[in-house]
Amino acid sequence: MNEGTVTRYGASAGELADLLAGWGEPAYRARQVWDGLYRQRRPLEELTDVGLPLRSRLGEALPLGLAPLHASTADDGETLKWLWAAGGDGASVETVLMRYPNRATVCVSTQAGCAMGCTFCATGQAGFERHLSAGEVVEQVARAQHASPQRVGNIVFMGMGEPLANYDATWAAVERLHDGFGISARHITVSTVGVVPGMRRLAAERLPVTLAVSLHAPDDALRDELVPLNRRYPLAEVLAAAREYLAASGRRLSFEYAMIGGVNDAPAQADALARRLRGFSPAAHVNLIPLNPTPGFGAPASPPRRVAAFAERLRQGGVGATVRRNRGTEIDAACGQLSTRHGLGGNSSRSAPVTMGQRRGGS
Ligand code: SAH
Ligand code: SF4
């Protein structure tokens, strides 16, 4: 976004009130607009209780920060993915909406790209472009909600980027999602690759969000290879920070583990993982994510039977485990597949360019 531009979902309630007061509007107007955008979750254009001239003026003063470049659907329309050009520099990011019968979950990106370089992750393979602002994160949720008949009740910070490497914007977005949209803290999950200082900061915050820690290996030798950040914050330190988070009362915790065939899915590795995590049970559990193959990583996904056996072995070792079903794999919308450098839109028969006149040339 251009320096100094306040976007629609970047503006605070106070900034909105100041803007409207400066235009000579009565004080209730700001509450009305805020209520419409956040509590009612409606697009500005649909706030018909605000007169059209004022809506137009607001739209110009507080522009949206994301322009849709492409949208695609999978799972019979239950999964939607957007590719956006973020304002100003046009950095590209993705958002995934997963609809269920009575609710919806939005997976947000916190950075364009990611600097952490996890070898199996498409975003990591693409490298780092820039941090997103809090307004750009909140807007992803707003725009997904506008497209969803179901109420968005869960947010997962599992899109592109490492949330705790962009701490301030991530936390400001969490607060707005909670205070503005009214999404409860336990339904907001922040996933981290193990940025220990960020995990410690998170433990001291006022909202007990759910923390997900991406492990992927039961020992440092293997984790060093898969997750380069492990060389800076090894497993013992990551687990100690996770323990601190758990100890900060009421916090919840889960561990993520991408199942990579022949790399981290052996029974002995399940046993080693169970030994390391047993102390957390039952307050924490492991989510096994079958690897989504990416172009830059040679190993295959673990076969389903091997994933099930790994889960069972963890349970026998005293650690709760579930296998996560991957939504949207055929449109590259699943965990770790988000990358704007390739696979734009995936399956062409189900994806359609969004024509908004803001398409970036050459991408
Ligand atoms: N940077 C954060 C959050 C985004 S990634 C993190 O790493 O935790 C969300 C989850 O998807 C992480 O657990 C990540 O390790 C996992 N993931 C990344 N690439 C994947 C892939 N190719 N297959 C399956 N899971 C993957
Ligand atoms: Fe970044 Fe997470 Fe991908 Fe690692 S897995 S490269 S931290 S987005």
Side-chain angles (χ1 to χ4, degrees), residues 122-138:
T123 312
Q125 290 157 15
F128 179 73
E129 213 173 328
R130 75 157 164 89
H131 292 306
L132 298 189
S133 65
E136 288 168 333
V137 176
V138 174

Side-chain angles (χ1 to χ4, degrees), residues 120-121 157-159 161-162 191-193 214 216 256 291-292 335-336:
F120 53 89
C121 170
F157 284 72
M158 293 187 181
E162 165 51 44
S191 178
T192 181
V193 70
S214 299
H216 312 308
E256 288 155 286
L291 180 79
N292 289 305
C335 280

Side-chain angles (χ1 to χ4, degrees), residues 339-350:
S339 163
T340 55
R341 307 267 164 105
H342 56 77
L344 272 190
N347 187 331
S348 59
S349 67
R350 296 186 207 177

Side-chain angles (χ1 to χ4, degrees), residues 84 103 131 137 179-181 245 262 284 319 325-327:
W84 314 100
R103 65 189 171 87
H131 292 306
V137 176
D179 301 343
F181 288 131
Y245 193 78
V319 174
R325 187 189 146 221
N326 267 320
R327 279 283 195 105

Side-chain angles (χ1 to χ4, degrees), residues 60 82 93 100 116 157 167 177 194 204 316 320 331 336 342 348:
E60 276 168 34
W82 290 270
V93 285
Y100 302 90
M116 297 299 165
F157 284 72
Y167 191 95
L177 296 175
Q316 282 167 4
I331 52 165
H342 56 77
S348 59

Side-chain angles (χ1 to χ4, degrees), residues 157-218:
F157 284 72
M158 293 187 181
M160 298 169 74
E162 165 51 44
L164 300 186
N166 183 15
Y167 191 95
D168 292 337
T170 292
W171 191 256
V174 164
E175 293 199 310
R176 181 69 57 77
L177 296 175
H178 178 272
D179 301 343
F181 288 131
I183 297 170
S184 73
R186 72 196 172 91
H187 290 145
I188 299 174
T189 300
V190 174
S191 178
T192 181
V193 70
V195 179
V196 166
M199 292 168 71
R200 297 229 164 88
R201 266 180 89 180
L202 208 58
E205 300 285 3
R206 71 178 173 98
L207 297 173
V209 295
T210 299
L211 180 65
V213 182
S214 299
L215 290 183
H216 312 308

Side-chain angles (χ1 to χ4, degrees), residues 88-131:
D89 62 357
S92 36
V93 285
E94 295 183 324
T95 305
V96 182
L97 167 71
M98 290 160 281
R99 296 164 50 209
Y100 302 90
N102 301 313
R103 65 189 171 87
T105 295
V106 176
C107 176
V108 293
S109 296
T110 52
Q111 298 176 317
C114 184
M116 297 299 165
C118 302
T119 49
F120 53 89
C121 170
T123 312
Q125 290 157 15
F128 179 73
E129 213 173 328
R130 75 157 164 89
H131 292 306

Side-chain angles (χ1 to χ4, degrees), residues 12 21 49 57 63 65 90-92 112-113 136 141 169 173-174 177 182 223 241 243 315 323 352:
S12 66
D49 41 355
R57 194 171 182 191
S92 36
E136 288 168 333
V141 176
V174 164
L177 296 175
R223 198 164 187 269
R243 211 174 286 281
R315 287 183 212 113
V323 180

